Amino acid sequence: MRFASLGSGSEGNGLVVEAGGTRVLMDCGFGLADSVARLARLGLRPDELAGIVVTHEHSDHIGGVGRLARKHRLPVWLTAGTCAMAQDLDGVPVQVIDSHAPFAVGDLEIQPYPVPHDAREPVQYVFGDGDRRLGVLTDTGCSTPHIEAMLAGVDALVLECNHDAAMLENGPYPASLKRRVGGRFGHLENGQAAALLARLKHAKLRCVMAAHVSKTNNTAALARRALAQALDCADADVPVACQAAGFDWIEI
């Protein structure tokens, strides 16, 4: 089982997860040509995807889903709330999922789980192949006992480190946007992410990737430092997903 990112941040997100002969794209916030180019960087064509799973309706996650799915006849899985809010899914084979019920796509078992975020029915996902499990948690304003139960025991984790609290407070955003980003339905701050990671840390956790790092209210160095302290490792040992290039394949 392996995973890679097309890019991560407020300008577009996409994560590919592969097990056996199955490859699934989680979210697509990029234009059609850009999505194809980013997939090619990972050695993939769109028609090699089994489909797209969507977390929520914000444009940096769903903006490119309709065009990519229509062009390459890809099925799309998403919650009823996300489907109701989606703007560009005409002609797309949509499969509505229960936010608590696992489903299978080829060699992958996919477990959605709800998160607190300012969207209609947002979810994140845990991907498994029967042996290894990858947890993904971004676009949540806080952790919950259910989130931590879903991510317990994962072998790898893609974890939001959206902002640094001091940078957000002293930064250029208007007060209303600062409250939204920093609120319990916004995005995880470095310290929140580190505290969550400390509770999830276990001996088999092979890789933790910092993701959805704000280019205005955070730095890769601050995100690395926060997670490294939780893992008791060197800052350089914590990879960070970037907006422009995401990250290359990681095997677990």
Side-chain angles (χ1 to χ4, degrees), residues 195-216:
L196 170 60
L197 180 57
R199 295 191 293 272
L200 294 174
K201 185 173 64 172
H202 62 96
K204 289 174 55 182
L205 184 59
R206 299 181 173 201
C207 174
V208 178
M209 172 73 65
H212 219 302
V213 176
S214 171
K215 68 179 182 181
T216 302

Side-chain angles (χ1 to χ4, degrees), residues 153-226:
V154 296
D155 299 278
L157 178 62
V158 177
L159 180 59
E160 176 171 61
C161 289
N162 177 257
H163 59 280
D164 171 78
M167 287 185 68
L168 178 65
E169 177 63 27
N170 298 312
Y173 283 7
S176 59
L177 184 54
K178 290 179 181 180
R179 287 193 297 270
R180 173 188 170 270
V181 171
R184 71 178 312 268
F185 294 97
H187 292 272
L188 283 184
E189 184 265 337
N190 291 341
Q192 291 175 298
L196 170 60
L197 180 57
R199 295 191 293 272
L200 294 174
K201 185 173 64 172
H202 62 96
K204 289 174 55 182
L205 184 59
R206 299 181 173 201
C207 174
V208 178
M209 172 73 65
H212 219 302
V213 176
S214 171
K215 68 179 182 181
T216 302
N217 301 302
N218 207 0
T219 68
L222 288 172
R224 280 194 184 95
R225 186 177 309 154

Side-chain angles (χ1 to χ4, degrees), residues 34-75:
D34 194 14
S35 299
V36 172
R38 288 169 184 262
L39 285 167
R41 178 180 57 80
L42 300 174
L44 295 177
R45 302 187 312 270
D47 60 9
E48 294 178 298
L49 297 171
I52 306 171
V53 298
V54 177
T55 60
H56 64 293
E57 71 272 14
H58 291 166
S59 62
D60 56 326
H61 293 265
I62 203 174
V65 169
R67 284 165 287 180
L68 187 67
R70 272 193 301 274
K71 174 74 172 178
H72 298 281
R73 300 180 181 179
L74 301 174

Side-chain angles (χ1 to χ4, degrees), residues 14 26 47 69 74 97 99 110 132 138 149 185 201 205 247:
M26 189 190 90
D47 60 9
L74 301 174
I97 61 172
S99 62
I110 304 173
R132 306 293 184 190
T138 68
F185 294 97
K201 185 173 64 172
L205 184 59
F247 57 84

Side-chain angles (χ1 to χ4, degrees), residues 22-24 50-51 53 77 103-110:
T22 303
R23 301 173 190 90
V24 167
V53 298
W77 292 266
F103 59 98
V105 179
D107 296 317
L108 278 169
E109 180 180 77
I110 304 173

